[in-house]
């Protein structure tokens, strides 16, 4: 089901509902794990020596400490991002569920960290990653990373705009679009049969200045033709005599 508000087209349906429920669950997981770590200060290994949970660190900047101490700028930018993601989430068609789900992941992570910034002035990090990022992060950061990866996969291989379509649906849609474009080009080409049916007068109009020139040429042809006819008549009379 689609609703139109001005030029904005809102896409609703069971796929959208499922993706929105996933978004709410991810947001709950992020805020819930932060609350648990704040209350109980858990310490355990996920991958010994590589990934573990320990302590609670307040990061008032973004990745790699950027914009540290400028909380209001980060809050403003993050708020704009969340609103933009929500609009994109709503207008994505139901036929692109993976893209909609990907945006849901990013939106959940961004909103989870935004709640932290409004409540504490910083983001609560407690997951130590020495395997890939070599930073301290939280579940919201993981959701944003997963969402971005899914968007890239979808845009490259799965949806109807993908560069290398691997699904039957994407290939069929792209093939139909190419055929439609080819048909439009054929419709724009001039009809050769119509050109072949052009008369001698049509050709003359292309080279002469105007229709009056065609009439003048036609009258000249009639005069010449009449003269020839008269000459023939005279010759015939001389032969008879």
């Amino acid at each position: 089901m689609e609703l139109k508000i001005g030029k904005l087209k809102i896409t609703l349906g069971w796929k959208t509902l499922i993706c929105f429920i996933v978004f709410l669950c991810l947001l709950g997981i992020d805020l819930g794990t932060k609350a648990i770590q704040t209350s109980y200060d858990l310490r355990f290994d996920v991958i010994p020596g590589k990934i573990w949970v320990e302590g609670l660190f307040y990061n008032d900047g973004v990745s790699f400490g950027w914009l540290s101490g400028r909380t209001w700028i980060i809050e403003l930018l993050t708020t704009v991002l969340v609103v933009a993601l929500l609009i994109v989430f709503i207008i994505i068609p139901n036929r692109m569920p993976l893209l909609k789900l990907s945006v849901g992941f990013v939106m959940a992570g961004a909103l989870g960290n935004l709640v932290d910034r409004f409540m504490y002035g910083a983001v609560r990090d407690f997951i130590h990653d020495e395997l890939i990022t070599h930073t301290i992060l939280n579940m919201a950061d993981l959701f944003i990373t997963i969402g971005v990866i899914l968007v890239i996969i979808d845009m490259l291989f799965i949806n109807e705009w993908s560069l290398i379509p691997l699904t039957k649906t994407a290939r069929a849609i792209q093939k139909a679009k190419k055929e439609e474009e080819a048909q439009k080009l054929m419709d724009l080409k001039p009809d050769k049969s119509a050109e072949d049916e052009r008369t001698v007068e049509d050709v003359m109009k292309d080279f002469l200045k105007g229709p009056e020139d065609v009439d003048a040429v036609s009258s000249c042809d009639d005069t010449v033709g009449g003269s020839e006819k008269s000459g023939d008549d005279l010759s015939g009379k001389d032969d008879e005599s």
Side-chain angles (χ1 to χ4, degrees):
M1 183 176 66
E2 292 183 348
L3 300 176
K4 289 185 177 180
I5 302 177
K7 294 183 178 181
L8 182 63
K9 184 183 294 184
I10 299 176
T11 303
L12 301 175
W14 65 268
K15 293 180 181 179
T16 301
L17 179 60
I18 291 176
C19 291
F20 188 74
I21 292 174
V22 172
F23 156 73
L24 293 178
C25 291
L26 294 174
L27 180 60
I29 290 172
D30 175 59
L31 297 178
T33 53
K34 289 173 179 175
I36 292 172
Q37 185 63 19
T38 302
S39 300
Y40 298 102
D41 190 17
L42 301 178
R43 298 171 183 267
F44 59 89
D45 289 332
V46 179
I47 300 177
K50 298 296 182 182
I51 300 176
W52 69 93
V53 173
E54 180 183 358
L56 194 66
F57 299 87
Y58 290 86
N59 179 15
D60 62 349
V62 292
S63 299
F64 306 106
W66 293 346
L67 296 178
S68 179
R70 300 181 180 179
T71 305
W72 70 272
I73 296 179
I74 300 175
E75 290 176 354
L76 177 61
L77 294 177
T78 307
T79 302
V80 173
L81 174 63
V82 171
V83 173
L85 288 172
L86 180 60
I87 294 174
V88 171
F89 178 85
I90 292 174
I91 64 177
I92 292 176
N94 281 317
R95 65 179 183 273
M96 300 179 183
L98 181 58
L99 185 59
K100 189 180 285 285
L101 182 64
S102 306
V103 173
F105 266 83
V106 178
M107 187 166 58
L111 185 57
N113 282 339
L114 182 61
V115 170
D116 260 22
R117 294 189 187 281
F118 280 124
M119 292 181 63
Y120 302 98
V123 174
R124 293 171 289 177
D125 293 331
F126 52 90
I127 302 174
H128 297 253
D129 175 26
E130 293 296 332
L131 181 63
I132 300 175
T133 62
H134 301 282
T135 58
I136 305 174
L137 41 85
N138 54 41
M139 295 301 296
D141 300 326
L142 293 177
F143 296 153
I144 292 173
T145 302
I146 292 171
V148 171
I149 292 173
L150 290 177
V151 168
I152 293 173
I153 292 174
D154 188 67
M155 297 300 292
L156 285 178
F157 306 112
I158 296 178
N159 74 36
E160 61 193 56
W161 304 321
S162 55
L163 297 177
I164 310 173
L166 299 181
T167 63
K168 291 183 179 180
T169 303
R171 289 196 294 266
I173 292 175
Q174 290 193 9
K175 182 179 179 181
K177 287 182 177 179
K178 290 180 180 179
E179 291 177 350
E180 183 180 355
E181 291 175 358
Q183 185 61 43
K184 288 180 179 179
L185 290 175
M186 293 296 294
D187 294 339
L188 292 175
K189 289 183 178 180
D191 190 358
K192 292 185 177 180
S193 60
E195 290 184 354
D196 294 340
E197 293 176 357
R198 297 178 70 196
T199 62
V200 175
E201 185 176 352
D202 293 331
V203 176
M204 291 174 65
K205 286 180 180 179
D206 292 338
F207 295 96
L208 299 175
K209 294 182 179 179
E212 62 276 3
D213 296 325
V214 178
D215 296 336
V217 173
S218 299
S219 61
C220 290
D221 291 341
D222 294 339
T223 303
V224 173
S227 300
E228 290 179 353
K229 185 175 181 182
S230 300
D232 292 340
D233 292 341
L234 291 175
S235 298
K237 289 179 180 181
D238 292 338
D239 290 338
E240 288 177 0
S241 60

